[in-house]
Amino acid sequence: MPSRIVVVEDDQDLAELLSYHLRKEGFETYTCLRGAQLLELDVSYDLAILDVMLPDLDGFRIAQILKSSERFKDIPIIFLTAKDLEMDKLRGFALGADDYVTKPFSMRELIARVRAVLRRAGALEKPTIYRLENLELDIQKREVKLRGKEINLTPTEFAILCALFENLDRPVSREYLIEKVLKRDLFDRTIDVHIKKLREKLEEFGPRIKTVRGFGYRLQA
């Protein structure tokens, strides 16, 4: 059964465009042009995409209402906003947002973020193959190909790249990589060495692995 996504966006053209691309990716969608419409929607859904600036109830208020509801409190939320202000983002995350996308954005980026949020929420099965342009990672075969040619990665490098793909465009902490991915005691700097070697092997995709200062790493979509 496809994951159900509700889009709350007062710009009708954008709402229809979002729904079109989500359906194209296999999701079932519902569209609301007002916040009140969402609160009156009598269907279950797996993810809410909320525009922050709505003409009646803003996205933050809707999030508060959803999170205080027994039925919808566990539904993940992605905020859409034209404002890239740190305080707004912090407020959104404090209200329980799972991600925050600033307009303008690419549909590919949004779809990647939707899939990542649904996977974390357990509403989407993890794929066995990840692709980023001409870079491909196959979990079952435990192989990575660049432009169709296999890259020889160590088990540790492969595990790190898997974690980065699973959290595409979101920062992954060193602690997570050490404790949850590699499951062994390592120094932070050991992870840095593995990342350095991984960047070298991925050639032009190496710079896509961004360092998040004081935290960890992020694979850029």
Side-chain angles (χ1 to χ4, degrees), residues 63-172:
Q64 285 180 316
I65 295 171
L66 292 178
K67 292 302 179 181
S68 64
S69 162
E70 191 62 33
R71 181 181 177 186
F72 296 109
K73 66 180 182 180
D74 295 324
I75 299 298
I77 293 171
I78 295 178
F79 279 122
L80 299 181
T81 180
K83 297 194 296 183
D84 189 19
L85 299 178
E86 184 179 8
M87 287 305 297
D88 282 341
K89 289 187 177 182
L90 292 175
R91 183 184 177 190
F93 286 122
L95 289 171
D98 294 83
D99 208 344
Y100 204 106
V101 180
T102 305
K103 300 175 183 178
F105 53 84
S106 73
M107 288 297 168
R108 287 176 60 188
E109 176 191 1
L110 181 68
I111 296 298
R113 289 174 181 265
V114 164
R115 291 189 180 281
V117 168
L118 287 172
R119 278 197 300 273
R120 289 196 299 275
L124 189 70
E125 292 184 3
K126 287 186 178 182
T128 58
I129 296 178
Y130 290 96
R131 292 186 179 88
L132 182 58
E133 297 174 20
N134 53 12
L135 178 66
E136 180 181 295
L137 181 147
D138 190 317
I139 292 176
Q140 290 184 337
K141 294 181 180 179
R142 296 194 65 79
E143 68 179 21
V144 176
K145 291 184 177 180
L146 177 60
R147 298 184 298 276
K149 184 179 179 181
E150 188 173 352
I151 302 173
N152 184 26
L153 299 185
T154 67
T156 296
E157 291 163 354
F158 185 86
I160 291 173
L161 187 57
C162 277
L164 294 174
F165 259 117
E166 288 172 1
N167 295 276
L168 189 65
D169 241 0
R170 290 180 64 89
V172 180

Side-chain angles (χ1 to χ4, degrees), residues 16-55:
E16 290 176 357
L17 186 63
L18 285 167
S19 293
Y20 168 76
H21 283 279
L22 289 166
R23 289 196 302 271
K24 191 176 170 184
E25 293 294 322
F27 298 110
E28 187 175 331
T29 64
Y30 302 91
T31 302
C32 300
L33 300 178
R34 299 289 186 274
Q37 283 182 267
L38 172 64
L39 301 180
E40 295 168 358
L41 192 64
D42 191 24
V43 297
S44 61
Y45 46 89
D46 302 298
L47 172 69
I49 298 177
L50 305 179
D51 184 17
V52 171
M53 302 299 291
L54 292 166

